[in-house]
Amino acid sequence: MVQSLIFDMDGTLFQTDKILELSLDDTFYHLRSLNLWASNTPIDQYRKIMGVPLPQVWEALLPNHSNEIRKQTDAYFLERLIENISSGKGALYPNVMEIFSFLKENNYKIFIASNGLVEYLQAIVSYYHLDSWVTETFSIQQIPSLDKGELVKKIIKKYDITNAAVVGDRLSDINAAKDNGLMAFGCKFDFPQENELTQANFVMDDLIELKTILPKFENNISY
């Protein structure tokens, strides 16, 4: 039976903080230049909600702005993120490529399911050549409800997956696993909330731990 691992991107595979503050500063500098923002970049507020779909991000960070301004801000932010990724200012977490190689050598299929937008995810996959290991990358944009559980369900259905686990750092990842009857492996890296990770089946400090975790759960990650 083919095993499958469904990974989150931000805070799990990609160290988003490397480009987050830079891209947010670029964006809010742009808003200030248009007289649409008067204070500092709300980086701390964004860290608290990181992992939710971007439309929800702008509702939280720009509560008094129109939907049109939020859409324009979202587009500008995406441009800055992609530019910073393409310029090599981001980074994968330690051992991503090593664990991907291990998984492929052991006949695991690898997928990415992220709340990030398609262009953003493609920029990361392309820059780090992740498609050498990843079967397919899925964006929350593909799901009208913006529900990560539905996104994972889409992967399961498309690839007829019967044995899998979700690897991620936020409650949306854990719930996506549970909603689909999968195991949830939590990542205690940069952005997790302790109360969220307690709901995972196992919590890691480094992705390399998957080498020892997977054999323990191999018979218990069936859909």
Side-chain angles (χ1 to χ4, degrees):
M1 183 183 298
V2 176
Q3 313 278 356
S4 300
L5 272 294
I6 302 170
F7 289 85
D8 175 44
M9 179 66 88
D10 293 317
T12 299
L13 298 176
F14 186 65
Q15 297 186 55
T16 314
D17 60 319
K18 298 286 185 182
I19 61 168
L20 172 62
E21 186 169 350
L22 180 60
S23 300
L24 271 182
D25 273 339
D26 289 344
T27 301
F28 279 86
Y29 177 85
H30 178 65
L31 289 175
R32 284 190 288 269
S33 73
L34 298 174
N35 294 318
L36 294 172
W37 191 259
S39 56
N40 295 329
T41 301
I43 182 69
D44 290 335
Q45 185 179 357
Y46 184 50
R47 286 181 182 274
K48 293 177 182 178
I49 60 174
M50 187 177 174
V52 304
L54 278 173
Q56 296 176 26
V57 168
W58 302 118
E59 287 176 10
L61 299 187
L62 302 173
N64 299 318
H65 292 68
S66 67
N67 286 332
E68 184 59 33
I69 294 298
R70 291 173 188 164
K71 289 180 181 178
Q72 292 173 7
T73 302
D74 185 38
Y76 188 87
F77 181 58
L78 179 60
E79 289 177 10
R80 299 312 307 154
L81 283 172
I82 291 174
E83 174 60 30
N84 288 322
I85 292 166
S86 301
S87 299
K89 295 176 182 177
L92 297 177
Y93 278 101
N95 300 313
V96 168
M97 293 184 180
E98 181 176 346
I99 200 63
F100 274 10
S101 295
F102 167 81
L103 292 172
K104 192 165 186 178
E105 289 168 5
N106 286 275
N107 299 316
Y108 285 87
K109 281 193 173 182
I110 302 169
F111 301 92
I112 294 173
S114 172
N115 283 336
L117 302 183
V118 171
E119 298 95 328
Y120 166 74
L121 296 173
Q122 187 55 50
I124 298 172
V125 170
S126 296
Y127 186 84
Y128 296 101
H129 307 291
L130 296 183
D131 47 7
S132 298
W133 300 279
V134 177
T135 299
E136 188 173 351
T137 298
F138 291 79
S139 165
I140 201 68
Q141 273 185 297
Q142 297 169 259
I143 302 297
S145 67
L146 301 181
D147 181 86
K148 200 160 195 179
E150 290 296 317
L151 186 61
V152 169
K153 184 177 181 179
K154 180 182 179 75
I155 299 172
I156 291 171
K157 184 176 181 180
K158 179 173 181 178
Y159 287 92
D160 195 25
I161 293 172
T162 57
N163 201 308
V166 176
V167 183
D169 68 319
R170 299 306 301 266
L171 186 60
S172 61
D173 304 304
I174 296 169
N175 286 341
K178 293 184 176 181
D179 289 348
N180 289 283
L182 307 181
M183 300 291 286
F185 298 151
C187 298
K188 193 177 181 181
F189 300 164
D190 289 320
F191 304 104
Q193 303 291 321
E194 291 290 341
N195 62 318
E196 296 181 358
L197 289 183
T198 59
Q199 301 184 52
N201 297 102
F202 193 92
V203 178
M204 304 176 280
D205 293 307
D206 192 305
L207 287 170
I208 204 67
E209 294 178 50
L210 282 171
K211 286 187 177 183
T212 55
I213 294 170
L214 288 172
K216 298 177 182 178
F217 289 95
E218 201 165 78
N219 296 322
N220 297 312
I221 59 176
S222 295
Y223 169 67

